[in-house]
Amino acid sequence: MLFSSILSLSLVTPFALAATAADWRSRSIYQVVTDRFAKGKGEDDTTCDSSQRKYCGGTWQGITDNLDYIQQLGFDAVWISPVVANLEGETDYGEAYLGRWTQNISHVNEHFGSGDSLKELSAALHKRDMYLMVELVVNNFALLPQNQTEDGSYDYSSLAPFNYADAFHPECPIKDYSNQTEVEECWLGNSKKLIMPDLDTGNSSNFRIMKDWAKDLIAQFDVDGFMLSGAKHVSPAFWTDFVGATGIFAMGDVLTDNVTYAVDYSKALPGILDYPTWFPLIDAFSSSDGNFTAVVNSIEHSKELYGVGLYTSGSFIENPDQRRFPNVTTDESLILNAMTWPFVHNGIPIAYYGQEHGLYGGASPENHESLWSIGHNTYHAQYAQHFATLNGVRHLAIDSGKNFLTAPMEFVPQVDKNALAVSRPPLLGLLTNAGSNSSAQWTIPADTGLFQKGESLVDVLTCNYFEVDQTSGDLAIQSDSGMPIVIIPSKLLDVEGKFCSALPTLHTAVTNNSPVSVRNVNTLSSIFASILALALI
Ligand SMILES: *[C@@H]1O[C@H](CO)[C@@H](O)[C@H](O)[C@H]1NC(C)=O
Ligand SMILES: *[C@@H]1O[C@H](CO)[C@@H](O)[C@H](O)[C@H]1NC(C)=O
Ligand SMILES: *[C@@H]1O[C@H](CO)[C@@H](O)[C@H](O)[C@H]1NC(C)=O
Ligand SMILES: *[C@@H]1O[C@H](CO)[C@@H](O)[C@H](O)[C@H]1NC(C)=O
Ligand SMILES: *[C@@H]1O[C@H](CO)[C@@H](O)[C@H](O)[C@H]1NC(C)=O
Ligand SMILES: *[C@@H]1O[C@H](CO)[C@@H](O)[C@H](O)[C@H]1NC(C)=O
Ligand SMILES: *[C@@H]1O[C@H](CO)[C@@H](O)[C@H](O)[C@H]1NC(C)=O
Ligand SMILES: *[C@@H]1O[C@H](CO)[C@@H](O)[C@H](O)[C@H]1NC(C)=O
């Protein structure tokens, strides 16, 4: 609950009701590219060609007007693009529509709306007990090659407040990503296309300015959490001080496939994106040749080595920086399995807007589709349902009294190399990369102690019931069409009401565990009417 956090609040500012890491743990996040998610009511809705890399006109007002949509998918936090004024005009990389090319940290990005409309978004979220996560770019600012002066330096006067060369590290390109000094001090961008002066974050006066800015954002816009973009380009020591001074939850976007590399950031920050597992994960679910052992190894290492285990890490399948998963495989059972992962992971599930539509854009900018060009209402029925069900069952698990949020996830070893069993009592996730033409088999031996002999279980994705063997106490389950299975003891349904019967029409589609070969498109009203009860559990 948002307001319950008042009690534990460290008094950062008199206005912000800061959400703690513990508050964030139970949340699930819907990430939008602000420019592409939605226009406001009455805003002209011309279509958007993402390959052009230009602003398409999505706004904060658009997000505010579509909170029903996000909430009905079961998400209770929204991560928006950076909010400050960016470089204007065209570059060789297009326009600054992702909001990551900072010029003036004291001014909002007017393409997304006014400061007041951002305040309205924040208030509208809080009214629904949803959280606002704002992405921040701290590492660098942005200039054009035209801003280079005759002596080879730059005219910094379009930047604020750092309108002088001394604020930045001396210019050098990052050539060697294994040299951390270069990663932190050299410049991103490209001297011929887009200049990205790298802020000297080790300078105490620069630190003070950035910290005050972040506190001001929290106070002005009632922000509940930050996503720190490009976190590996700033030292862990800076982050510790920065997050400590701002006093709210922050997660670092540390792009790496190396658990050991990520460890320092996991200790410096309340949370990081679980990129080290994302890499083997995408490989594992891309085909039946994928390797679950690599996923298991990554999770076991990070569980052991990260500052607070995996609990406040962000688990995701898609984001604006990676090609969408349906671009990797078109097999819907593989896509549904991958979508299930963040909800059986120990961390905070994060979905990227448009996953519920089954969007299949490739790498940036193709994966920045505008939802209004597609139609918010024409989402993929089974994917939308999947999010709503998974968010619903996660809340059921959180409320079950089984320490769902504080007990480490465990794998139950399987004989079938295409089967992965993740135990997070009271929930058991049975995932597979067999694909929709093959079957997978899981066995949960009695000696795991997870279930009792004869216990009745239910797969919340199909509402199929299973019984643990009366004599041996083993549980053996098969999926004939490569679909994921998410099991809870059926007695939990009775406590909370009839979880499954709230889903009449949608669940007939998948009752036989059959793959959906045709893209199954329904309208919002027909589907969300029946899943609303579930999503809001
Ligand atoms: C930055 O924004 C502030 C607040 O709107 C404004 O006063 C200032 O002139 C801007 N600076 C630049 C360089 O655009
Ligand atoms: C940087 O270059 C752009 C494009 O030529 C120009 O509009 C802008 O005024 C320049 N900024 C400064 C401070 O010269
Ligand atoms: C730190 O930055 C300030 C202005 O941002 C500058 O005046 C000062 O020289 C810098 N200090 C060092 C040690 O670089
Ligand atoms: C790492 O990069 C820095 C800055 O470019 C350089 O001074 C240093 O020699 C490099 N270290 C190694 C081991 O290459
Ligand atoms: C992983 O990161 C650690 C710590 O930065 C480093 O020592 C190691 O060489 C990296 N491993 C690989 C394979 O890059
Ligand atoms: C799967 O990954 C593990 C760990 O990274 C590796 O040891 C093993 O060789 C891989 N198996 C296959 C078949 O590639
Ligand atoms: C992947 O994305 C690219 C670019 O958007 C597109 O041309 C291609 O058809 C996509 N592939 C699949 C399998 O969706
Ligand atoms: C499943 O079988 C169908 C029909 O034979 C085929 O078109 C499709 O490519 C197969 N899918 C996979 C993932 O192998």
Side-chain angles (χ1 to χ4, degrees), residues 68-107:
D68 276 348
Y69 174 88
I70 297 172
Q71 198 171 25
Q72 285 163 343
L73 293 168
F75 296 98
D76 49 14
V78 178
W79 161 9
I80 63 174
S81 306
V83 300
V84 299
N86 270 228
L87 180 153
E88 285 301 328
E90 187 84 33
T91 75
D92 283 359
Y93 299 124
E95 295 177 352
Y97 67 91
L98 288 175
R100 290 173 175 164
W101 299 344
T102 311
Q103 285 213 322
N104 188 347
I105 64 171
S106 309
H107 203 84

Side-chain angles (χ1 to χ4, degrees), residues 12 19 24 29 78-80 82-83 131-138 210-219 221-229 239 242-253 269-273 312:
V12 181
W24 273 94
I29 302 172
V78 178
W79 161 9
I80 63 174
V83 300
Y131 283 171
L132 174 63
M133 173 174 269
V134 170
E135 182 169 325
L136 295 189
V137 178
V138 167
M210 293 311 268
K211 172 207 61 162
D212 288 346
W213 164 62
K215 288 173 74 166
D216 187 56
L217 282 180
I218 298 169
F221 302 113
D222 212 352
V223 177
D224 303 293
F226 289 135
M227 176 61 71
L228 305 169
S229 190
W239 290 132
F242 182 78
V243 173
T246 56
I248 66 169
F249 179 70
M251 198 184 274
D253 182 349
L269 287 165
I272 57 174
L273 289 181
T312 45

Side-chain angles (χ1 to χ4, degrees), residues 31 79 275 278 282 315-327 335 338-339 342 350-356 358-361 367 369 387:
Q31 176 185 13
W79 161 9
Y275 251 121
W278 179 84
I282 293 307
S315 183
F316 65 98
I317 300 297
E318 295 181 20
N319 72 27
D321 305 318
Q322 307 295 342
R323 67 177 171 145
R324 289 184 179 272
F325 191 64
N327 195 268
I335 293 166
M339 284 172 82
I350 304 175
Y352 180 47
Y353 84 100
Q355 280 189 268
E356 67 279 12
L359 296 185
Y360 51 86
N367 54 349
E369 305 90 334
F387 276 145

Side-chain angles (χ1 to χ4, degrees), residues 517-528:
S517 50
V518 186
R519 294 215 157 181
N520 207 354
V521 171
N522 277 357
T523 59
L524 261 182
S525 49
S526 70
I527 290 200
F528 283 153

Side-chain angles (χ1 to χ4, degrees), residues 299-465:
I299 290 292
E300 294 301 353
H301 285 144
S302 42
K303 247 166 61 177
E304 186 188 334
L305 298 173
Y306 283 179
V308 288
L310 280 169
Y311 298 115
T312 45
S313 61
S315 183
F316 65 98
I317 300 297
E318 295 181 20
N319 72 27
D321 305 318
Q322 307 295 342
R323 67 177 171 145
R324 289 184 179 272
F325 191 64
N327 195 268
V328 176
T329 175
T330 56
D331 184 308
E332 298 197 6
S333 78
L334 291 175
I335 293 166
L336 285 159
N337 274 278
M339 284 172 82
T340 310
W341 169 263
F343 294 85
V344 299
H345 181 279
N346 257 142
I348 301 170
I350 304 175
Y352 180 47
Y353 84 100
Q355 280 189 268
E356 67 279 12
H357 288 74
L359 296 185
Y360 51 86
S364 169
E366 306 292 346
N367 54 349
H368 306 150
E369 305 90 334
S370 80
L371 271 198
W372 63 87
S373 301
I374 294 147
H376 284 80
N377 291 356
T378 56
Y379 56 83
H380 185 292
Q382 203 175 0
Y383 298 162
Q385 165 80 66
H386 204 57
F387 276 145
T389 304
L390 291 168
N391 274 313
V393 76
R394 188 165 178 269
H395 281 289
L396 201 64
I398 289 168
D399 295 340
S400 70
K402 297 272 190 209
N403 303 324
F404 179 76
L405 294 175
T406 51
M409 63 195 287
E410 302 290 350
F411 296 99
V412 183
Q414 298 298 309
V415 174
D416 183 344
K417 76 168 180 60
N418 296 120
L420 184 72
V422 184
S423 168
R424 281 190 76 197
L427 197 146
L428 175 70
L430 303 178
L431 306 183
T432 173
N433 60 4
S436 45
N437 294 338
S438 305
S439 61
Q441 201 128 25
W442 297 267
T443 307
I444 309 299
D447 66 14
T448 57
L450 290 174
F451 304 114
Q452 285 162 15
K453 288 179 180 173
E455 187 169 356
S456 167
L457 307 171
V458 62
D459 169 17
V460 295
L461 301 177
T462 58
C463 290
N464 285 339
Y465 283 78

Side-chain angles (χ1 to χ4, degrees), residues 480-519:
D480 289 330
S481 49
M483 295 296 266
I485 293 176
V486 174
I487 281 186
I488 56 170
S490 39
K491 64 172 184 274
L492 281 182
L493 297 182
D494 301 334
V495 177
E496 285 290 327
K498 298 196 167 20
F499 188 87
C500 275
S501 66
L503 300 160
T505 44
L506 283 169
H507 270 277
T508 27
V510 290
T511 297
N512 301 324
N513 232 346
S514 61
V516 178
S517 50
V518 186
R519 294 215 157 181

Side-chain angles (χ1 to χ4, degrees), residues 30 37-41 60-71 128 376-377 524:
Y30 187 83
F37 175 65
K39 296 197 179 187
K41 292 195 181 91
W60 296 314
Q61 179 69 51
I63 304 171
T64 305
D65 289 347
N66 283 281
L67 291 182
D68 276 348
Y69 174 88
I70 297 172
Q71 198 171 25
R128 293 165 185 256
H376 284 80
N377 291 356
L524 261 182

